[in-house]
């Protein structure tokens, strides 16, 4: 998969195999490089589960980032975002412990840089 800088929800990307691009994909790639100066290559993984980790970051000095919840993501067969599941269950499944740990470090770093407010970070198990 080749993704545009800041591509999201399965938009602004090219899926394929091998080293030969179609003319349309080559034009897309040239346009993205001209506009953004970069693209990202990612392997296509068989996802078992995807979630959004929802954080709230208070202003620096007003408290630590707080995990508000984990929302399972609904995606189509090509990885396109279709929605999120919500539940009254506020327990965090153990399978997401490492994602919580990593995103907490990111949230803390962003807070130290001056960001405050809502923060959502997606994670996947594959």
């Amino acid at each position: 998969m080749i993704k545009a800088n800041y591509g999201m929800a399965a938009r602004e990307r090219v899926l394929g195999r091998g080293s030969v691009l179609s003319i349309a994909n080559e034009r897309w790639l040239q346009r993205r490089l001209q506009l953004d100066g970069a693209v990202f290559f990612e392997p296509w993984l068989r996802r078992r589960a995807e979630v959004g980790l929802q954080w709230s970051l208070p202003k620096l000095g007003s408290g630590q980032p707080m995990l508000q919840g984990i929302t399972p993501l609904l995606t189509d067969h090509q990885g396109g975002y279709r929605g999120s599941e919500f539940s009254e269950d506020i327990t965090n499944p153990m399978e997401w412990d490492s994602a919580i740990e990593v995103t907490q470090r990111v949230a803390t770093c962003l807070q130290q840089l001056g960001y405050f407010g809502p923060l959502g970070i997606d994670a996947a198990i594959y």
Side-chain angles (χ1 to χ4, degrees):
M1 175 172 46
I2 304 172
K3 291 175 67 174
N5 199 16
Y6 306 115
M8 66 184 112
R11 292 188 293 269
E12 292 296 323
R13 70 177 188 180
V14 171
L15 298 176
R17 292 182 180 269
S19 59
V20 179
L21 290 172
S22 69
I23 292 172
N25 287 344
E26 187 175 339
R27 286 184 184 139
W28 176 89
L29 181 57
Q30 289 172 346
R31 189 173 62 252
R32 295 295 2 138
L33 288 170
Q34 188 175 37
L35 290 171
D36 301 333
V39 295
F40 297 91
F41 292 84
E42 292 182 9
W44 188 257
L45 304 171
R46 290 183 179 263
R47 297 168 310 280
R48 189 167 55 85
E50 291 183 85
V51 297
L53 292 99
Q54 311 304 324
W55 290 88
S56 178
L57 283 62
K59 288 184 179 181
L60 189 60
S62 300
Q64 298 297 314
M66 297 169 292
L67 181 65
Q68 299 296 317
I70 298 176
T71 54
L73 302 179
L74 305 173
T75 57
D76 62 24
H77 70 285
Q78 290 190 329
Y81 175 73
R82 295 293 179 240
S84 297
E85 291 181 21
F86 294 93
S87 171
E88 303 253 343
D89 181 5
I90 59 169
T91 61
N92 296 322
M94 284 181 26
E95 66 186 347
W96 296 109
D97 283 351
S98 62
I100 292 169
E101 180 184 323
V102 170
T103 58
Q104 183 175 26
R105 290 195 314 255
V106 171
T108 300
C109 180
L110 288 171
Q111 184 187 42
Q112 290 171 351
L113 291 171
Y115 177 80
F116 61 93
L119 172 67
I121 302 175
D122 294 348
I125 294 174
Y126 56 91

PDB file of all heavy atoms in Angstrom, residues 5 10 15 28 31-32 39-40 42 53 60 63-65 71 73-74 86 91 100 105-106 109-110 115 117:
ATOM      1  N   ASN A   5       0.672  11.428   2.409  1.00  0.00           N
ATOM      2  CA  ASN A   5       0.890  12.057   3.702  1.00  0.00           C
ATOM      3  C   ASN A   5      -0.464  12.573   4.191  1.00  0.00           C
ATOM      4  O   ASN A   5      -1.167  13.253   3.454  1.00  0.00           O
ATOM      5  CB  ASN A   5       1.888  13.206   3.536  1.00  0.00           C
ATOM      6  CG  ASN A   5       2.519  13.635   4.830  1.00  0.00           C
ATOM      7  OD1 ASN A   5       2.463  12.921   5.826  1.00  0.00           O
ATOM      8  ND2 ASN A   5       3.141  14.788   4.814  1.00  0.00           N
ATOM      9  N   ALA A  10      -8.909   5.100   4.516  1.00  0.00           N
ATOM     10  CA  ALA A  10      -8.720   4.383   3.250  1.00  0.00           C
ATOM     11  C   ALA A  10      -8.843   5.294   2.029  1.00  0.00           C
ATOM     12  O   ALA A  10      -9.101   4.837   0.929  1.00  0.00           O
ATOM     13  CB  ALA A  10      -9.678   3.200   3.140  1.00  0.00           C
ATOM     14  N   LEU A  15      -3.470   0.535  -3.586  1.00  0.00           N
ATOM     15  CA  LEU A  15      -3.244  -0.858  -3.199  1.00  0.00           C
ATOM     16  C   LEU A  15      -2.724  -1.609  -4.408  1.00  0.00           C
ATOM     17  O   LEU A  15      -3.177  -1.386  -5.527  1.00  0.00           O
ATOM     18  CB  LEU A  15      -4.543  -1.518  -2.727  1.00  0.00           C
ATOM     19  CG  LEU A  15      -5.215  -0.928  -1.494  1.00  0.00           C
ATOM     20  CD1 LEU A  15      -6.535  -1.642  -1.221  1.00  0.00           C
ATOM     21  CD2 LEU A  15      -4.301  -1.021  -0.287  1.00  0.00           C
ATOM     22  N   TRP A  28      -1.142   9.323  -9.983  1.00  0.00           N
ATOM     23  CA  TRP A  28      -1.515   9.640  -8.599  1.00  0.00           C
ATOM     24  C   TRP A  28      -0.255   9.840  -7.755  1.00  0.00           C
ATOM     25  O   TRP A  28      -0.147  10.809  -7.007  1.00  0.00           O
ATOM     26  CB  TRP A  28      -2.381   8.516  -8.013  1.00  0.00           C
ATOM     27  CG  TRP A  28      -2.720   8.731  -6.576  1.00  0.00           C
ATOM     28  CD1 TRP A  28      -3.803   9.409  -6.082  1.00  0.00           C
ATOM     29  CD2 TRP A  28      -1.979   8.283  -5.432  1.00  0.00           C
ATOM     30  NE1 TRP A  28      -3.767   9.421  -4.709  1.00  0.00           N
ATOM     31  CE2 TRP A  28      -2.659   8.734  -4.286  1.00  0.00           C
ATOM     32  CE3 TRP A  28      -0.802   7.560  -5.273  1.00  0.00           C
ATOM     33  CZ2 TRP A  28      -2.199   8.471  -2.997  1.00  0.00           C
ATOM     34  CZ3 TRP A  28      -0.347   7.297  -3.983  1.00  0.00           C
ATOM     35  CH2 TRP A  28      -1.053   7.753  -2.865  1.00  0.00           C
ATOM     36  N   ARG A  31       1.541  13.074  -8.558  1.00  0.00           N
ATOM     37  CA  ARG A  31       0.790  14.209  -8.021  1.00  0.00           C
ATOM     38  C   ARG A  31       0.992  14.330  -6.501  1.00  0.00           C
ATOM     39  O   ARG A  31       1.217  15.413  -5.976  1.00  0.00           O
ATOM     40  CB  ARG A  31      -0.697  14.058  -8.358  1.00  0.00           C
ATOM     41  CG  ARG A  31      -1.522  15.280  -8.037  1.00  0.00           C
ATOM     42  CD  ARG A  31      -2.970  15.179  -8.530  1.00  0.00           C
ATOM     43  NE  ARG A  31      -3.692  14.080  -7.895  1.00  0.00           N
ATOM     44  CZ  ARG A  31      -4.046  12.939  -8.501  1.00  0.00           C
ATOM     45  NH1 ARG A  31      -3.759  12.734  -9.768  1.00  0.00           N
ATOM     46  NH2 ARG A  31      -4.695  11.998  -7.858  1.00  0.00           N
ATOM     47  N   ARG A  32       0.938  13.195  -5.788  1.00  0.00           N
ATOM     48  CA  ARG A  32       1.119  13.215  -4.329  1.00  0.00           C
ATOM     49  C   ARG A  32       2.522  13.692  -3.973  1.00  0.00           C
ATOM     50  O   ARG A  32       2.707  14.481  -3.045  1.00  0.00           O
ATOM     51  CB  ARG A  32       0.891  11.830  -3.710  1.00  0.00           C
ATOM     52  CG  ARG A  32      -0.490  11.292  -3.806  1.00  0.00           C
ATOM     53  CD  ARG A  32      -1.625  11.987  -3.078  1.00  0.00           C
ATOM     54  NE  ARG A  32      -1.454  13.168  -2.318  1.00  0.00           N
ATOM     55  CZ  ARG A  32      -2.291  14.212  -2.333  1.00  0.00           C
ATOM     56  NH1 ARG A  32      -3.342  14.211  -3.088  1.00  0.00           N
ATOM     57  NH2 ARG A  32      -2.086  15.251  -1.570  1.00  0.00           N
ATOM     58  N   VAL A  39       5.415  10.157   0.327  1.00  0.00           N
ATOM     59  CA  VAL A  39       4.372   9.139   0.435  1.00  0.00           C
ATOM     60  C   VAL A  39       4.907   8.080   1.395  1.00  0.00           C
ATOM     61  O   VAL A  39       6.096   8.067   1.717  1.00  0.00           O
ATOM     62  CB  VAL A  39       3.995   8.488  -0.925  1.00  0.00           C
ATOM     63  CG1 VAL A  39       3.359   9.496  -1.856  1.00  0.00           C
ATOM     64  CG2 VAL A  39       5.198   7.825  -1.558  1.00  0.00           C
ATOM     65  N   PHE A  40       4.046   7.196   1.832  1.00  0.00           N
ATOM     66  CA  PHE A  40       4.445   6.162   2.773  1.00  0.00           C
ATOM     67  C   PHE A  40       4.072   4.795   2.222  1.00  0.00           C
ATOM     68  O   PHE A  40       2.973   4.605   1.708  1.00  0.00           O
ATOM     69  CB  PHE A  40       3.769   6.390   4.133  1.00  0.00           C
ATOM     70  CG  PHE A  40       4.194   7.686   4.750  1.00  0.00           C
ATOM     71  CD1 PHE A  40       3.482   8.857   4.518  1.00  0.00           C
ATOM     72  CD2 PHE A  40       5.332   7.756   5.525  1.00  0.00           C
ATOM     73  CE1 PHE A  40       3.883  10.056   5.059  1.00  0.00           C
ATOM     74  CE2 PHE A  40       5.746   8.953   6.073  1.00  0.00           C
ATOM     75  CZ  PHE A  40       5.021  10.103   5.840  1.00  0.00           C
ATOM     76  N   GLU A  42       3.390   0.895   3.140  1.00  0.00           N
ATOM     77  CA  GLU A  42       3.017   0.042   4.263  1.00  0.00           C
ATOM     78  C   GLU A  42       2.665  -1.332   3.745  1.00  0.00           C
ATOM     79  O   GLU A  42       2.009  -1.459   2.706  1.00  0.00           O
ATOM     80  CB  GLU A  42       1.796   0.596   5.004  1.00  0.00           C
ATOM     81  CG  GLU A  42       2.021   1.880   5.735  1.00  0.00           C
ATOM     82  CD  GLU A  42       0.778   2.335   6.491  1.00  0.00           C
ATOM     83  OE1 GLU A  42      -0.205   1.573   6.589  1.00  0.00           O
ATOM     84  OE2 GLU A  42       0.792   3.473   6.986  1.00  0.00           O
ATOM     85  N   LEU A  53      -8.383   4.586  20.263  1.00  0.00           N
ATOM     86  CA  LEU A  53      -8.169   4.888  21.679  1.00  0.00           C
ATOM     87  C   LEU A  53      -8.435   6.374  21.865  1.00  0.00           C
ATOM     88  O   LEU A  53      -7.796   7.210  21.213  1.00  0.00           O
ATOM     89  CB  LEU A  53      -6.747   4.522  22.103  1.00  0.00           C
ATOM     90  CG  LEU A  53      -6.509   3.010  22.100  1.00  0.00           C
ATOM     91  CD1 LEU A  53      -5.802   2.580  20.837  1.00  0.00           C
ATOM     92  CD2 LEU A  53      -5.750   2.587  23.320  1.00  0.00           C
ATOM     93  N   LEU A  60      -1.496  21.582  30.184  1.00  0.00           N
ATOM     94  CA  LEU A  60      -0.290  21.217  30.917  1.00  0.00           C
ATOM     95  C   LEU A  60      -0.352  21.803  32.324  1.00  0.00           C
ATOM     96  O   LEU A  60      -0.674  22.978  32.504  1.00  0.00           O
ATOM     97  CB  LEU A  60       0.951  21.726  30.176  1.00  0.00           C
ATOM     98  CG  LEU A  60       2.303  21.256  30.699  1.00  0.00           C
ATOM     99  CD1 LEU A  60       2.401  19.732  30.651  1.00  0.00           C
ATOM    100  CD2 LEU A  60       3.423  21.860  29.877  1.00  0.00           C
ATOM    101  N   GLY A  63      -3.308  18.263  35.067  1.00  0.00           N
ATOM    102  CA  GLY A  63      -3.598  16.843  35.212  1.00  0.00           C
ATOM    103  C   GLY A  63      -2.986  16.041  34.089  1.00  0.00           C
ATOM    104  O   GLY A  63      -2.472  16.592  33.109  1.00  0.00           O
ATOM    105  N   GLN A  64      -3.034  14.737  34.231  1.00  0.00           N
ATOM    106  CA  GLN A  64      -2.473  13.809  33.259  1.00  0.00           C
ATOM    107  C   GLN A  64      -3.497  13.489  32.163  1.00  0.00           C
ATOM    108  O   GLN A  64      -4.707  13.601  32.392  1.00  0.00           O
ATOM    109  CB  GLN A  64      -2.067  12.503  33.959  1.00  0.00           C
ATOM    110  CG  GLN A  64      -0.997  12.679  35.013  1.00  0.00           C
ATOM    111  CD  GLN A  64       0.299  13.190  34.404  1.00  0.00           C
ATOM    112  OE1 GLN A  64       0.748  12.697  33.379  1.00  0.00           O
ATOM    113  NE2 GLN A  64       0.888  14.201  35.026  1.00  0.00           N
ATOM    114  N   PRO A  65      -3.026  13.059  30.987  1.00  0.00           N
ATOM    115  CA  PRO A  65      -3.960  12.591  29.961  1.00  0.00           C
ATOM    116  C   PRO A  65      -4.821  11.450  30.522  1.00  0.00           C
ATOM    117  O   PRO A  65      -4.345  10.613  31.294  1.00  0.00           O
ATOM    118  CB  PRO A  65      -3.040  12.083  28.850  1.00  0.00           C
ATOM    119  CG  PRO A  65      -1.789  12.884  29.014  1.00  0.00           C
ATOM    120  CD  PRO A  65      -1.637  13.038  30.512  1.00  0.00           C
ATOM    121  N   THR A  71     -12.825   2.348  21.351  1.00  0.00           N
ATOM    122  CA  THR A  71     -13.962   2.128  20.467  1.00  0.00           C
ATOM    123  C   THR A  71     -13.552   1.217  19.310  1.00  0.00           C
ATOM    124  O   THR A  71     -12.693   1.588  18.508  1.00  0.00           O
ATOM    125  CB  THR A  71     -14.492   3.465  19.902  1.00  0.00           C
ATOM    126  OG1 THR A  71     -13.416   4.164  19.275  1.00  0.00           O
ATOM    127  CG2 THR A  71     -15.063   4.334  21.002  1.00  0.00           C
ATOM    128  N   LEU A  73     -13.368  -0.260  15.785  1.00  0.00           N
ATOM    129  CA  LEU A  73     -13.628   0.362  14.489  1.00  0.00           C
ATOM    130  C   LEU A  73     -14.320  -0.628  13.558  1.00  0.00           C
ATOM    131  O   LEU A  73     -13.971  -1.810  13.526  1.00  0.00           O
ATOM    132  CB  LEU A  73     -12.314   0.829  13.852  1.00  0.00           C
ATOM    133  CG  LEU A  73     -11.485   1.821  14.655  1.00  0.00           C
ATOM    134  CD1 LEU A  73     -10.209   2.177  13.898  1.00  0.00           C
ATOM    135  CD2 LEU A  73     -12.276   3.066  14.971  1.00  0.00           C
ATOM    136  N   LEU A  74     -15.267  -0.139  12.818  1.00  0.00           N
ATOM    137  CA  LEU A  74     -15.938  -0.935  11.789  1.00  0.00           C
ATOM    138  C   LEU A  74     -15.311  -0.560  10.458  1.00  0.00           C
ATOM    139  O   LEU A  74     -15.312   0.611  10.071  1.00  0.00           O
ATOM    140  CB  LEU A  74     -17.439  -0.628  11.780  1.00  0.00           C
ATOM    141  CG  LEU A  74     -18.162  -0.800  13.118  1.00  0.00           C
ATOM    142  CD1 LEU A  74     -19.590  -0.302  13.024  1.00  0.00           C
ATOM    143  CD2 LEU A  74     -18.116  -2.255  13.552  1.00  0.00           C
ATOM    144  N   PHE A  86     -19.896   1.554  20.053  1.00  0.00           N
ATOM    145  CA  PHE A  86     -19.876   2.174  21.371  1.00  0.00           C
ATOM    146  C   PHE A  86     -20.581   1.250  22.344  1.00  0.00           C
ATOM    147  O   PHE A  86     -21.497   0.520  21.971  1.00  0.00           O
ATOM    148  CB  PHE A  86     -20.564   3.541  21.343  1.00  0.00           C
ATOM    149  CG  PHE A  86     -19.826   4.535  20.500  1.00  0.00           C
ATOM    150  CD1 PHE A  86     -20.152   4.717  19.165  1.00  0.00           C
ATOM    151  CD2 PHE A  86     -18.789   5.262  21.040  1.00  0.00           C
ATOM    152  CE1 PHE A  86     -19.459   5.622  18.382  1.00  0.00           C
ATOM    153  CE2 PHE A  86     -18.083   6.175  20.260  1.00  0.00           C
ATOM    154  CZ  PHE A  86     -18.420   6.356  18.938  1.00  0.00           C
ATOM    155  N   THR A  91     -14.581  -1.399  30.616  1.00  0.00           N
ATOM    156  CA  THR A  91     -13.372  -2.180  30.871  1.00  0.00           C
ATOM    157  C   THR A  91     -12.503  -2.180  29.621  1.00  0.00           C
ATOM    158  O   THR A  91     -12.987  -2.102  28.493  1.00  0.00           O
ATOM    159  CB  THR A  91     -13.709  -3.629  31.261  1.00  0.00           C
ATOM    160  OG1 THR A  91     -14.420  -4.247  30.187  1.00  0.00           O
ATOM    161  CG2 THR A  91     -14.530  -3.684  32.526  1.00  0.00           C
ATOM    162  N   ILE A 100      -2.478   0.902  24.778  1.00  0.00           N
ATOM    163  CA  ILE A 100      -2.775   1.935  25.775  1.00  0.00           C
ATOM    164  C   ILE A 100      -1.474   2.557  26.276  1.00  0.00           C
ATOM    165  O   ILE A 100      -1.349   3.777  26.359  1.00  0.00           O
ATOM    166  CB  ILE A 100      -3.599   1.349  26.945  1.00  0.00           C
ATOM    167  CG1 ILE A 100      -4.995   0.959  26.468  1.00  0.00           C
ATOM    168  CG2 ILE A 100      -3.686   2.354  28.097  1.00  0.00           C
ATOM    169  CD1 ILE A 100      -5.796   0.144  27.469  1.00  0.00           C
ATOM    170  N   ARG A 105       1.987   7.425  26.195  1.00  0.00           N
ATOM    171  CA  ARG A 105       3.255   8.146  26.031  1.00  0.00           C
ATOM    172  C   ARG A 105       3.117   9.243  24.972  1.00  0.00           C
ATOM    173  O   ARG A 105       3.632  10.351  25.130  1.00  0.00           O
ATOM    174  CB  ARG A 105       4.385   7.179  25.681  1.00  0.00           C
ATOM    175  CG  ARG A 105       4.769   6.284  26.840  1.00  0.00           C
ATOM    176  CD  ARG A 105       6.100   5.579  26.669  1.00  0.00           C
ATOM    177  NE  ARG A 105       6.341   4.961  25.384  1.00  0.00           N
ATOM    178  CZ  ARG A 105       6.288   3.661  25.143  1.00  0.00           C
ATOM    179  NH1 ARG A 105       5.989   2.807  26.107  1.00  0.00           N
ATOM    180  NH2 ARG A 105       6.548   3.191  23.940  1.00  0.00           N
ATOM    181  N   VAL A 106       2.421   8.913  23.875  1.00  0.00           N
ATOM    182  CA  VAL A 106       2.197   9.915  22.820  1.00  0.00           C
ATOM    183  C   VAL A 106       1.359  11.067  23.370  1.00  0.00           C
ATOM    184  O   VAL A 106       1.680  12.246  23.147  1.00  0.00           O
ATOM    185  CB  VAL A 106       1.505   9.273  21.593  1.00  0.00           C
ATOM    186  CG1 VAL A 106       1.066  10.327  20.598  1.00  0.00           C
ATOM    187  CG2 VAL A 106       2.413   8.252  20.938  1.00  0.00           C
ATOM    188  N   CYS A 109       3.439  13.287  25.588  1.00  0.00           N
ATOM    189  CA  CYS A 109       4.362  14.088  24.778  1.00  0.00           C
ATOM    190  C   CYS A 109       3.617  15.253  24.127  1.00  0.00           C
ATOM    191  O   CYS A 109       4.093  16.399  24.157  1.00  0.00           O
ATOM    192  CB  CYS A 109       5.021  13.207  23.724  1.00  0.00           C
ATOM    193  SG  CYS A 109       6.192  14.095  22.672  1.00  0.00           S
ATOM    194  N   LEU A 110       2.447  14.991  23.562  1.00  0.00           N
ATOM    195  CA  LEU A 110       1.663  16.063  22.933  1.00  0.00           C
ATOM    196  C   LEU A 110       1.246  17.110  23.955  1.00  0.00           C
ATOM    197  O   LEU A 110       1.273  18.317  23.674  1.00  0.00           O
ATOM    198  CB  LEU A 110       0.434  15.481  22.230  1.00  0.00           C
ATOM    199  CG  LEU A 110       0.719  14.701  20.953  1.00  0.00           C
ATOM    200  CD1 LEU A 110      -0.533  13.988  20.473  1.00  0.00           C
ATOM    201  CD2 LEU A 110       1.261  15.620  19.876  1.00  0.00           C
ATOM    202  N   TYR A 115      -0.399  20.781  23.436  1.00  0.00           N
ATOM    203  CA  TYR A 115      -1.730  20.390  22.949  1.00  0.00           C
ATOM    204  C   TYR A 115      -2.612  20.028  24.129  1.00  0.00           C
ATOM    205  O   TYR A 115      -2.183  19.380  25.080  1.00  0.00           O
ATOM    206  CB  TYR A 115      -1.643  19.199  21.984  1.00  0.00           C
ATOM    207  CG  TYR A 115      -3.010  18.748  21.532  1.00  0.00           C
ATOM    208  CD1 TYR A 115      -3.682  19.425  20.533  1.00  0.00           C
ATOM    209  CD2 TYR A 115      -3.648  17.685  22.155  1.00  0.00           C
ATOM    210  CE1 TYR A 115      -4.960  19.050  20.141  1.00  0.00           C
ATOM    211  CE2 TYR A 115      -4.929  17.296  21.776  1.00  0.00           C
ATOM    212  CZ  TYR A 115      -5.576  17.987  20.771  1.00  0.00           C
ATOM    213  OH  TYR A 115      -6.835  17.611  20.400  1.00  0.00           O
ATOM    214  N   GLY A 117      -7.024  18.898  24.799  1.00  0.00           N
ATOM    215  CA  GLY A 117      -8.299  18.606  24.153  1.00  0.00           C
ATOM    216  C   GLY A 117      -8.404  17.132  23.823  1.00  0.00           C
ATOM    217  O   GLY A 117      -7.648  16.303  24.339  1.00  0.00           O
TER     218      GLY A 117
END
